[in-house]
Amino acid sequence: MVVAEKELGRRLQLVQGIHWLRGVQGDRYAALLRGYDGAGPQEHYAALREAGPLWRSSLGTWVGVGYGVAAELLALPAAAGAAPPAVAWDAELPAREPDADRVREPGADRVRELARQVCARLWAGLGGETDLVAGVAARVPAEVLADLHGLTGGDRERLAGALSAASGALDAALAPPAYPEAVRLSAAVAELRGLLGEGAVREAVVRVRAARELLAGALGALVAAPREWALLVEQGGGRAARVVAETLRHDAPVKVHAFTAAAGAEVAGQRIAAGDEVAVVVGAANRDPRVFEDPDVFAADRVLPDGVRALVPSPYGIAPEPFGAAVAETVLVALAAARPGLRAAGPAVRSRRTPVTGGLLRLPVRL
């Protein structure tokens, strides 16, 4: 056991060291995986675009950042059963088996109804100064999932704790965590297996984390733009749908989608071979200035060019948008109705070394 722990720690440190070294040497993709300071990953996205719409990192990964190239890459078939590139530890999310006990895609109406019930419970104790990430964006999707599974009492509490501990799984596949975090993540995945069944773990982790990022991104944009918040309070549901659609572009809940190509393909004049590792930097593609006017501006009334929509990848083959959009729209409408006087109570804090999710860690507001 001690030898295995030392080996795991060594492997984690090795990959972290490679990312750091290649990033220092000028590899922009390695720098993105290494982590970032400041407000967020946007400075890295600009640097990635300077290298071209599709290029090969010194890590051996094809990196797509242009909108058109990203759309082509996302349409390529991924190798069945292949783990995301750069997995350097042993807590890989379990594969989905056809006969496994797992959650089917829940209906949007059911998700909205459960989200409304969760909001009604939360708002009763929500007031004064609060953190909308921990208190709302991270909590509501987990509560909805617990309701979908019919969990109560201690099992409900265990699920909330396991989902919180496993929330870094998507990022850990590309940016291996420190050893203690890897141990906690492995334990959380095992806990989720016991609560939900082997085949439901991926759905739970992907849907809950993506919903959290989508909701937090929308709330962050609204808090930073009081006029957008006022319009949401005034217009309700229709406005919420537009806010969520713009958040999918402006602050994508899945910002990097990595996979192994199942077959050869030619994209943007480059030959990608079967077995090659590919990373689609969706966060950069959805802000491509050649496609989107004023791409860094959040505008719920934005009119997109014909045939253009926000790119939303499906980690592990699980589409995050149906569940996440239903939760986010419901929460925005409920919060605007219950707490229309929302305003910022401090600076928003964005997480670091989270290349896949890269979202808000804290969003302090006064209600």
Side-chain angles (χ1 to χ4, degrees):
M1 177 65 72
V2 173
V3 174
E5 290 176 352
K6 287 183 177 180
E7 175 62 17
L8 174 58
R10 187 193 69 80
R11 288 165 58 195
L12 293 169
Q13 289 181 338
L14 176 61
V15 176
Q16 292 167 359
I18 291 172
H19 291 173
W20 182 87
L21 178 61
R22 297 293 171 83
V24 169
Q25 292 174 339
D27 189 305
R28 290 152 176 169
Y29 178 62
L32 178 66
L33 299 185
R34 182 186 62 189
Y36 44 83
D37 299 316
Q42 298 307 325
E43 62 270 23
H44 285 294
Y45 294 161
L48 289 166
R49 281 193 292 264
E50 290 176 1
L54 177 64
W55 46 276
R56 199 160 198 177
S57 162
S58 63
L59 299 176
T61 302
W62 287 104
V63 181
V65 294
Y67 180 87
V69 164
E72 285 190 61
L73 293 174
L74 290 176
L76 296 180
V87 172
W89 53 293
D90 300 323
E92 170 67 1
L93 295 177
R96 294 181 294 165
E97 299 295 339
D99 299 326
D101 176 23
R102 69 182 185 89
V103 178
R104 296 182 181 276
E105 184 68 51
D109 289 342
R110 175 65 172 156
V111 172
R112 289 191 180 95
E113 177 57 31
L114 292 176
R116 279 192 289 269
Q117 295 174 15
V118 172
C119 288
R121 298 196 298 266
L122 289 185
W123 294 172
L126 196 65
E129 187 170 321
T130 190
D131 173 16
L132 287 184
V133 175
V136 177
R139 189 170 175 182
V140 176
E143 292 272 349
V144 170
L145 186 76
D147 287 335
L148 285 170
H149 281 273
L151 298 181
T152 60
D155 284 346
R156 194 180 188 91
E157 294 178 5
R158 288 170 57 203
L159 178 68
L163 286 171
S164 177
S167 63
L170 296 181
D171 292 293
L174 292 182
Y179 175 74
E181 183 181 346
V183 172
R184 288 193 295 270
L185 189 48
S186 296
V189 169
E191 181 83 341
L192 290 172
R193 285 192 186 101
L195 286 167
L196 305 178
E198 181 79 10
V201 176
R202 290 192 180 196
E203 283 88 346
V205 172
V206 171
R207 287 176 183 157
V208 169
R209 183 58 193 246
R212 165 189 162 164
E213 296 307 315
L214 179 57
L215 181 51
L219 289 168
L222 292 169
V223 170
R227 180 179 177 276
E228 291 280 2
W229 175 254
L231 288 171
L232 175 64
V233 171
E234 176 185 334
Q235 299 176 15
R239 189 73 186 180
R242 292 196 292 274
V243 168
V244 169
E246 173 67 347
T247 304
L248 287 169
R249 184 203 67 82
H250 182 263
D251 198 3
V254 179
K255 296 175 174 60
V256 179
H257 180 63
F259 63 94
T260 302
E266 185 168 321
V267 179
Q270 302 280 12
R271 182 64 184 174
I272 297 175
D276 280 355
E277 296 178 356
V278 179
V280 186
V281 187
V282 176
N286 280 341
R287 294 198 185 194
D288 189 337
R290 294 170 298 182
V291 177
F292 303 98
E293 184 178 356
D294 295 327
D296 295 332
V297 174
F298 182 92
D301 291 320
R302 180 183 298 275
V303 177
L304 297 178
D306 290 341
V308 172
R309 65 184 302 271
L311 299 176
V312 183
S314 299
Y316 296 99
I318 301 157
E321 186 177 0
F323 178 86
V327 169
E329 290 174 18
T330 303
V331 173
L332 292 180
V333 172
L335 184 60
R339 300 292 190 273
L342 178 148
R343 65 184 187 276
V349 179
R350 195 167 285 269
S351 57
R352 300 173 56 192
R353 203 163 183 271
T354 51
V356 176
T357 59
L360 291 176
L361 189 62
R362 292 185 65 249
L363 183 60
V365 299
R366 183 169 296 281
L367 303 175

